Amino acid sequence: MPETSNVSFHRSAELDAESPTLIEGLPGHGLVASIAVDQITDQLGLEEYGSIRSDSFPPVASFTDGMVQDTVRVYGGTDPDIMTLQSDVPIPEDAFADLSQCVLEELVDDFSRAIFLAGAPAQSEEQQGDVIGVATTETLKTDLEDAEIELAADSGAVGGVTGALINACYQADVPAALLLVRADPRLPDPAAAQSVIETALEPLVEFDIDTTELREQAEEIQRQKQQVAQQLQQTQEQQEEPVRGMFR
């Protein structure tokens, strides 16, 4: 990592959780991780534990409730013992090393295992929401099997910030699991986020999250997609009508 790197964790509260699970919710394909972890953080009432700052992060001002906040934040809670890692902006590639360094050097002692979420393009609507798991340790592999999460049968690779983080955990012998979720390749996919919560995170972490809001968001997106498809079809038919008339 370049010597000019300047990354640090700024603690804003004490973490009461004992050996919590860290769940990563950074922006990625279909925004699946962000949507899922935002829902978890809000419903469990997690408190901000601290923030990660780096010169490599985008110079963006994030704000909520009339107050500016850091773009990359860590939350925690005790019912269950859990931590979440979230960002309001996509993490650029030149910041992957900084973020990984901070997680491994300043946060690793605070959690017992990490769960990373990554979206992958679904090849069909039927495939959307399918989840497969990958582990860095035999113990976590067993946890995935006990939670009835299908293990990845084929070889593969995961890039982006999630791939960088799970690779860093693997290299440092930090117990971590990757949940790979099939998602819409074009739009934010709350249905895929709902699926990964219900079929994977709930049995793994042993909590109960109400995903009604995500289902409603997914239904609204589906309605909008159908409306766009109908409008496109009508436009196409109107454009073809004069051509048909020329050959009568």
Side-chain angles (χ1 to χ4, degrees):
M1 188 173 56
E3 293 182 358
T4 56
S5 172
N6 179 22
V7 59
S8 58
F9 177 68
H10 293 257
R11 185 176 286 100
S12 57
E14 293 299 319
L15 184 67
D16 296 327
E18 296 183 8
S19 301
T21 295
L22 173 68
I23 305 178
E24 170 260 329
L26 302 175
H29 180 88
L31 294 179
V32 175
S34 295
I35 295 171
V37 175
D38 281 350
Q39 187 77 3
I40 292 168
T41 299
D42 290 343
Q43 277 208 19
L44 296 181
L46 303 184
E47 300 289 338
E48 185 173 332
Y49 173 45
S51 60
I52 298 176
R53 299 175 184 175
S54 169
D55 294 339
S56 300
F57 293 162
V60 174
S62 172
F63 57 88
T64 186
D65 296 328
M67 295 291 294
V68 172
Q69 61 184 359
D70 288 289
T71 54
V72 182
R73 301 178 301 281
V74 180
Y75 293 84
T78 58
D79 188 20
D81 291 328
I82 191 174
M83 294 169 61
T84 60
L85 172 63
Q86 299 173 252
S87 175
D88 294 328
V89 295
I91 305 297
E93 186 173 355
D94 60 1
F96 292 176
D98 276 6
L99 185 60
S100 298
Q101 177 195 10
C102 188
V103 170
L104 291 180
E105 293 185 0
E106 300 196 51
L107 289 176
V108 71
D109 291 337
D110 292 329
F111 61 86
S112 59
R113 61 177 183 172
I115 299 176
F116 298 96
L117 308 179
Q123 303 303 315
S124 65
E125 288 191 7
E126 291 73 20
Q127 198 182 53
Q128 284 180 238
D130 288 353
V131 181
I132 59 173
V134 178
T136 63
T137 66
E138 286 294 333
T139 298
L140 264 182
K141 181 180 178 181
T142 300
D143 289 344
L144 293 174
E145 292 173 331
D146 290 344
E148 298 184 351
I149 298 169
E150 180 182 356
L151 298 178
D154 300 323
S155 299
V158 176
V161 64
T162 301
L165 283 166
I166 196 165
N167 181 63
C169 287
Y170 171 71
Q171 298 292 338
D173 294 324
V174 174
L178 169 67
L179 299 178
L180 191 62
V181 192
R182 294 290 183 181
D184 191 310
R186 297 155 298 179
L187 298 170
D189 197 338
Q194 176 187 4
S195 177
V196 76
I197 289 174
E198 293 180 347
T199 65
L201 289 173
E202 286 187 339
L204 267 178
V205 188
E206 297 183 354
F207 54 23
D208 186 19
I209 301 297
D210 183 358
T211 58
T212 302
E213 181 179 350
L214 300 184
R215 184 176 68 252
E216 292 173 348
Q217 291 174 5
E219 290 172 350
E220 178 59 28
I221 289 175
Q222 186 63 29
R223 282 195 294 269
Q224 292 174 359
K225 287 167 63 177
Q226 290 173 348
Q227 289 174 358
V228 170
Q230 290 172 353
Q231 290 170 357
L232 289 174
Q233 183 178 3
Q234 291 172 356
T235 300
Q236 185 178 10
E237 291 174 350
Q238 290 170 357
Q239 291 173 343
E240 291 176 349
E241 186 60 32
V243 176
R244 294 193 193 102
M246 292 174 62
F247 292 96
R248 288 175 181 170

